[in-house]
Amino acid sequence: MSSILSNVLPAPEDPVLSVIFACRDDPCPVKLNLSVGAYQTEEGKPLVLEVVRKAEQQLANDLYCDKGYLPIDGLADFNKFSAKLILGDDSHAVKENRVVSIQCLSGTGSLRVGAEFLAKHHQQRVIFVPNPTWGNHPFIFTLAGLSVEYFRYYDPHTRGLDFEGMLEDLGAAPSGALVVLQACAHNPTGIDPTLEQWEQIRQIVRSKGLLPFFDNAYQGFASGNLDSDAQSVRMFVADGGECLIAQSFAKNMGLYGERIGALTIVCTSEDVARKVKSQLLLVVRPMYLSPPIHGASIVTTILKNSDMYKDWTIELKGMADRIISMRQQLYEAIQARGTPGDWSHIIKQIGMFSFTGLNEKQVRMMAKEYHIYMTYDGRISMAGLSSKTVPQVADAIHAAVTRIP
Amino acid sequence: MASSMLSLGSTSLLPREINKDKLKLGTSGSNPFLKAKSFSRVTMSVSVKPSRFESITMAPPDPILGVSEAFKADTNELKLNLGVGAYRTEELQPYVLNVVKRLEALASFSSLLLISFIHFLNRMASFQAENLMLERGDNKEYLPIEGLAAFNKATAELLFGAGHPVIKEQKYVATIQGLSGTGSLRLAAALIERYFAGAKVLISAPTWGNHKNIFNDAKVPWSEYRYYDPKTIGLDFEGMIADIKEAPEGSFILLHGCAHNPTGIDPTPEQWVKIADVIQEKNHIPFFDVAYQGFASGSLDEDASSVRLFAERGMEFFVAQSYSKNLGLYAERIGAINVVCSSADAATRVKSQLKRIARPMYSNPPVHGARIVANVVGDATMFGEWKAEMEMMAGRIKTVRQKLGKDWSFILKQIGMFSFTGLNKAQSDNMTNKWHVYMTKDGRISLAGLSMAKCEYLADAIIDSYHNALLYWETPIEL
């Protein structure tokens, strides 16, 4: 029987999924999956924050809970508190009513809605992303109707930031182009500009009239401090210029599966903000009508209540500290084995991921012989390490580096 | 940096598989040219700068949700909101399905006994499910891109009937969890745009207002088939069949599985057979929007009979599902897109492509609503209670129609949440301006927004609007 679907091709295998499946199918009991972009405890288990459970219990006990549709732009209080979280309580932009914030489906959804809006309304449709960047970025922007270009970012020689290259490429960008900047804890490299470097980036972005689109998925998760991690964004907003911000609560509140985030657009005036908001609603409605309530309710409950907020910052710092400790332990273990090369990038990099500098051959060998799985670009999730597994990983790295060039 | 468990690692070269066509400047792009001014200042001082969004115009208010805003602003105490299709209790509060077990627990709240128990016993099967989830300590890890497996299985079984050959071993149906009906329709529309180049979708005249927005944004061409006959306030069956026949072969025909929105008029079983005939004849592809399963007649199976008829025929077709109304889970955004295929291989390929569309839209779907549905449907007791609630709610809607419909026999023939009153725009405006009854401009009222007590008031409003708001329009309905 002929099928109308015969020309539907099988989609290409997702590269990270194939790593996850390979790990899943590995019968070895000491296998370790370091490709997961989700925080795990010392015991290698996913974590639901205590304060999140508390918020959920509170919500479940609320007999008057209304599951009627949220407005197209989501829960109003969520929008308000999310904006304050990234922009600061004393933000002038917020006080001047020129900030639009709408609830979206985590970071991805915020990026997509923002990109669709820009494709419709922004006269320049080229968007620059760092090389390398999160794998989903180019797909999101391309499907939204933007055209993706790269600026230099990672320097494989230093395993650090190619700052000169970055400034050069941004300087050469067409005026008015869009530029994606990861606010902190760059994925996949773990390399962030210093504050001084951010200031230079800001200057070149503003002088070339580029429009920044911040991807803010790790606020609080990088340094352990919510305000410190927001400095890059706040620096740009403070100069009075416009920007977009995609915010995610997947990692810093552990709400991965609830899909909760926000798209914020900082405009130059209240009037523009009003019009921008009305147009954002037109993007959302034919995509999914209105966003899901559960994650938004949890976040709002926590951000609104000063005790819960405090508890959250403590748990968040706990997660960030554990990751920093894993970096330290891995670095020391590698040093102790006398592994050749400079491995200081492991402790210099920040956030959930580290770009180890391992090549694909070495990565495959580590999977095959040591049952340690990471993505083929050599990126490991520090959040998947524990004190118990650090030695195994250090051994594997040592073997890979010494046996395979 | 946004990432997910399923993150793609990094991409440092031009991404593979990019459809070059997408790089063309997108959509209608009807913006006046605005040159971005270059910023010469490099200091941190704040000042008013030209906005790059200066040329953006104010979008019109949403035609349906905008009604609710106008309603909120109205201070008249007699006001009624019959615009939004969300169920209301007798006290016109949003209703969350009741579960008998909770009745006992909640009875201890003495203050609750003073108020109608439908309003205060607003715990649904989902309340039980949510508490079960909390007790179990379910985690919040990312779902796979296609959603919760238990949900996908349950939703396909609910639609086709458990044990139906088409879902046996889940081989022939590609099911992906979607963001309720809208999100599921959007995924399907994107698939159509990608793999059925040039194919158009036929939508009923009228249909839910957001349908055309979805297809427009997905860049899928659409046209209408006749559906509503204003003279009979019924189905224009001849027109419907003729228009479907005339459409280019291989068109997608958007059909409402039951409880047509906005008219409330469904084809009879015999008419459904003829619709299936003509669709098969023209090698069209049926595309069902099922947003009210169980809510129309009170029976889940009866409401799925149109879809099942097509499945029996061995046709390949699409079905978008929503649990917004029948489980009262509007705000959780839970639904699914199902593509019935003629082979397991086709289903695998289709599923992979649907995932490829979802990934750059929102990565993976929200877990909460999916778990609620999976828990409710998966538990025999809870599911039984849910079915009983369904029948009660659907029954109430029927009663409201009957009470309202003494002189409105056409309403009795309609089922579901909406009633197409046949009022024109001027008459609808009179309903709002004079009577503070809010409805959408096409004359649609949501009967679920109506309580028994308000029926007489509404009847008065409708009669008055017909007589006194009559302008230069077609003949009003004879009362």
Side-chain angles (χ1 to χ4, degrees):
Chain A
M1 171 182 174
S2 78
S3 167
I4 60 169
L5 304 160
S6 50
N7 63 332
V8 175
L9 302 166
E13 174 82 62
D14 182 298
V16 171
L17 281 182
S18 67
V19 171
I20 293 173
F21 292 152
C23 182
R24 181 196 61 190
D25 297 339
D26 186 336
C28 175
V30 295
K31 63 187 177 183
L32 193 58
N33 185 356
L34 298 181
S35 63
V36 177
Y39 180 85
Q40 286 174 7
T41 62
E42 265 289 310
E43 294 72 40
K45 296 269 180 291
L47 177 69
V48 177
L49 301 186
E50 285 294 324
V51 72
V52 165
R53 284 284 183 234
K54 203 160 151 204
E56 277 193 307
Q57 194 61 69
Q58 213 170 289
L59 292 166
N61 294 340
D62 179 7
L63 295 172
Y64 296 83
C65 175
D66 172 10
K67 292 212 192 282
Y69 290 109
L70 282 182
I72 301 175
D73 59 338
L75 199 58
D77 273 353
F78 169 80
N79 294 338
K80 196 173 95 188
F81 283 98
S82 297
K84 287 218 168 132
L85 186 66
I86 180 60
L87 299 176
D89 284 328
D90 53 356
S91 161
H92 286 289
V94 170
K95 292 201 179 103
E96 289 159 20
N97 291 318
R98 47 189 185 86
V99 174
V100 185
S101 282
I102 66 165
Q103 179 190 340
C104 289
L105 281 112
S106 206
T108 307
S110 306
L111 289 164
R112 180 61 179 265
V113 171
E116 296 257 341
F117 166 80
L118 291 168
K120 261 193 201 168
H121 297 285
H122 194 249
Q123 55 96 6
Q124 241 297 6
R125 291 190 185 95
V126 175
I127 186 161
F128 282 81
V129 301
N131 183 0
T133 192
W134 179 41
N136 208 13
H137 273 157
F139 298 115
I140 296 169
F141 298 128
T142 307
L143 284 190
L146 300 174
S147 142
V148 177
E149 307 247 3
Y150 289 83
F151 61 86
R152 277 170 286 171
Y153 194 82
Y154 177 63
D155 184 347
H157 303 294
T158 61
R159 295 179 188 172
L161 178 61
D162 179 359
F163 190 51
E164 294 309 316
M166 179 177 182
L167 290 182
E168 242 178 76
D169 290 347
L170 291 180
S175 179
L178 305 157
V179 56
V180 171
L181 298 167
Q182 296 195 25
C184 67
H186 183 270
N187 178 358
T189 66
I191 297 158
D192 286 345
T194 62
L195 279 180
E196 294 73 31
Q197 289 173 324
W198 271 120
E199 169 57 22
Q200 286 187 264
I201 294 165
R202 185 196 67 78
Q203 286 182 17
I204 207 153
V205 163
R206 293 311 195 194
S207 70
K208 294 295 299 187
L210 306 178
L211 180 60
F213 196 158
F214 283 98
D215 189 341
N216 178 39
Y218 294 99
Q219 189 185 355
F221 214 98
S223 68
N225 182 293
L226 287 157
D227 291 315
S228 303
D229 288 352
Q231 282 314 303
S232 59
V233 173
R234 292 180 190 178
M235 198 183 275
F236 277 74
V237 174
D239 70 12
E242 294 177 316
C243 68
L244 290 86
I245 307 162
Q247 202 174 354
S248 167
F249 289 93
K251 287 83 175 172
N252 59 10
M253 268 204 204
L255 294 174
Y256 308 92
E258 302 289 352
R259 318 311 296 130
I260 180 62
L263 170 67
T264 291
I265 303 185
V266 180
C267 308
T268 50
S269 72
E270 183 173 356
D271 186 59
V272 169
R274 233 177 11 97
K275 290 189 268 195
V276 163
K277 181 172 172 172
S278 73
Q279 293 292 346
L280 284 175
L281 303 186
L282 292 191
V283 170
V284 170
R285 191 167 198 248
M287 206 186 276
Y288 51 86
L289 194 64
S290 68
I293 192 174
H294 195 65
S297 303
I298 293 172
V299 173
T300 309
T301 303
I302 293 170
L303 294 184
K304 256 178 134 161
N305 176 312
S306 56
D307 287 336
M308 289 180 98
Y309 182 90
K310 189 154 151 277
D311 289 343
W312 172 48
T313 60
I314 293 168
E315 283 191 84
L316 179 54
K317 182 158 197 305
M319 290 195 286
D321 284 349
R322 195 183 89 70
I323 288 177
I324 290 169
S325 152
M326 289 301 102
R327 289 185 177 278
Q328 194 64 38
Q329 286 186 35
L330 182 61
Y331 174 70
E332 284 165 9
I334 291 175
Q335 295 296 93
R337 284 157 180 72
T339 309
D342 177 5
W343 293 90
S344 61
H345 54 279
I346 289 185
I347 43 177
K348 285 190 201 143
Q349 290 163 2
I350 194 166
M352 201 181 267
F353 298 108
S354 175
F355 234 29
T356 56
L358 295 164
N359 63 40
E360 188 176 326
K361 279 214 183 91
Q362 292 164 335
V363 168
R364 286 188 185 277
M365 176 267 194
M366 284 176 66
K368 189 152 182 273
E369 294 188 30
Y370 285 82
H371 311 281
I372 290 166
Y373 293 82
M374 70 185 77
T375 51
Y376 296 118
D377 54 4
R379 183 195 79 167
I380 58 171
S381 167
M382 285 299 182
L385 279 176
S386 69
S387 308
K388 281 199 302 292
T389 55
V390 162
Q392 174 190 352
V393 176
D395 286 340
I397 291 177
H398 185 85
V401 168
T402 50
R403 280 168 40 193
I404 300 175
Chain B
M1 166 59 239
S3 97
S4 77
M5 182 180 84
L6 307 172
S7 73
L8 300 170
S10 70
T11 162
S12 50
L13 301 172
L14 277 178
R16 51 191 165 75
E17 299 280 350
I18 298 298
N19 181 349
K20 292 290 184 229
D21 285 343
K22 295 291 177 203
L23 296 178
K24 288 195 199 117
L25 299 184
T27 63
S28 48
S30 55
N31 298 313
F33 177 77
L34 178 71
K35 219 181 157 102
K37 302 208 176 165
S38 72
F39 293 89
S40 55
R41 67 181 67 250
V42 292
T43 61
M44 301 269 280
S45 59
V46 179
S47 70
V48 177
K49 291 185 170 114
S51 169
R52 55 194 75 230
F53 305 124
E54 208 60 61
S55 61
I56 288 176
T57 54
M58 191 75 191
D62 185 277
I64 294 173
L65 298 176
V67 171
S68 290
E69 279 167 31
F71 170 78
K72 266 192 215 138
D74 188 330
T75 52
N76 188 296
E77 62 189 10
L78 294 171
K79 66 180 180 177
L80 266 184
N81 188 357
L82 304 183
V84 182
Y87 188 82
R88 295 278 181 267
T89 63
E90 269 294 310
E91 288 64 39
L92 304 177
Q93 298 302 315
Y95 177 74
V96 184
L97 280 172
N98 175 26
V99 167
V100 169
K101 282 186 185 170
R102 301 320 299 179
L103 195 80
E104 292 140 27
L106 295 172
S108 61
F109 288 84
S110 53
S111 56
L112 301 182
L113 298 175
L114 300 172
I115 305 160
S116 161
F117 70 78
I118 288 179
H119 173 56
F120 282 90
L121 297 175
N122 63 350
R123 264 352 204 167
M124 57 194 291
S126 69
F127 175 86
Q128 269 192 308
E130 281 181 304
N131 274 279
L132 185 65
M133 284 149 60
L134 270 176
E135 275 162 43
R136 275 200 309 241
D138 285 347
N139 69 38
K140 294 193 178 302
E141 297 305 279
Y142 291 118
L143 284 179
I145 304 171
E146 67 266 30
L148 187 68
F151 166 79
N152 290 342
K153 180 164 184 288
T155 199
E157 284 179 355
L158 208 59
L159 183 62
F160 297 104
H164 192 286
V166 100
I167 53 167
K168 217 166 151 205
E169 296 153 50
Q170 299 181 286
K171 278 222 206 102
Y172 292 81
V173 182
T175 299
I176 303 274
Q177 178 187 337
L179 291 153
S180 200
T182 306
S184 305
L185 287 162
R186 181 60 179 264
L187 292 180
L191 190 76
I192 292 170
E193 192 271 338
R194 227 174 241 204
Y195 287 102
F196 297 85
K200 81 176 163 174
V201 176
L202 267 72
I203 61 180
S204 63
T207 191
W208 179 45
N210 206 23
H211 277 148
K212 54 175 159 45
N213 297 330
I214 294 169
F215 295 118
N216 284 341
D217 270 29
K219 302 192 185 59
V220 173
W222 57 270
S223 66
E224 288 176 309
Y225 59 85
R226 279 168 283 173
Y227 194 82
Y228 173 64
D229 185 349
K231 291 196 227 50
T232 60
I233 314 187
L235 175 60
D236 177 2
F237 189 58
E238 303 299 319
M240 177 180 184
I241 295 294
D243 289 347
I244 292 176
K245 236 186 200 158
E246 213 198 302
E249 191 168 311
S251 296
F252 286 83
I253 313 294
L254 191 65
L255 303 161
H256 299 226
C258 64
H260 184 272
N261 180 359
T263 67
I265 299 159
D266 286 343
T268 62
E270 297 73 32
Q271 289 173 326
W272 273 120
V273 168
K274 295 214 175 81
I275 292 165
D277 287 342
V278 70
I279 285 178
Q280 263 184 313
E281 197 185 298
K282 295 289 305 202
N283 289 321
H284 290 325
I285 302 149
F287 185 170
F288 279 96
D289 185 347
V290 176
Y292 297 101
Q293 188 182 0
F295 218 75
S297 67
S299 157
L300 290 161
D301 292 318
E302 198 184 306
D303 287 352
S305 53
S306 58
V307 171
R308 293 178 190 182
L309 166 73
F310 282 70
E312 287 311 308
R313 299 264 184 129
M315 299 174 76
E316 291 181 308
F317 62 102
F318 291 41
V319 186
Q321 288 173 284
S322 165
Y323 288 92
S324 292
K325 287 82 171 172
N326 58 6
L327 261 181
L329 293 175
Y330 310 93
E332 304 290 354
R333 319 307 295 128
I334 178 66
I337 178 66
N338 303 271
V339 183
V340 183
C341 309
S342 57
S343 69
D345 177 66
T348 307
R349 286 182 277 116
V350 166
K351 187 164 171 170
S352 76
Q353 292 296 347
L354 286 170
K355 282 162 66 171
R356 205 164 152 228
I357 291 164
R359 172 70 166 140
M361 207 183 272
Y362 49 82
S363 277
N364 38 73
V367 65
H368 199 69
R371 280 196 181 132
I372 292 174
V373 175
N375 279 303
V376 169
V377 175
D379 176 300
T381 315
M382 272 206 270
F383 190 40
E385 284 173 347
W386 179 51
K387 284 205 262 201
E389 293 288 341
M390 290 292 326
E391 275 160 40
M392 192 271 281
M393 280 209 292
R396 187 173 163 267
I397 289 174
K398 270 200 201 118
T399 313
V400 168
R401 281 196 186 275
Q402 272 162 354
K403 206 165 153 121
L404 185 60
K406 243 199 333 193
D407 295 304
W408 298 70
S409 56
F410 62 87
I411 287 187
L412 280 176
K413 291 194 205 119
Q414 298 168 12
I415 56 175
M417 282 181 75
F418 298 102
S419 179
F420 224 35
T421 56
L423 292 173
N424 62 34
K425 185 180 175 305
Q427 292 158 342
S428 301
D429 283 347
N430 189 70
M431 293 285 285
T432 304
N433 299 333
K434 183 171 173 186
W435 295 86
H436 306 280
V437 174
Y438 291 80
M439 49 200 283
T440 52
K441 301 249 179 291
D442 52 7
R444 182 191 85 168
I445 59 171
S446 163
L447 290 182
L450 189 63
S451 67
M452 314 269 191
K454 300 279 187 174
C455 279
E456 290 195 36
Y457 178 81
L458 180 63
D460 288 342
I462 291 174
I463 291 164
D464 171 74
S465 298
Y466 263 131
H467 289 305
N468 300 323
L470 186 63
L471 292 173
Y472 23 72
W473 215 247
E474 56 254 23
T475 344
I477 315 299
E478 284 295 305
L479 292 179

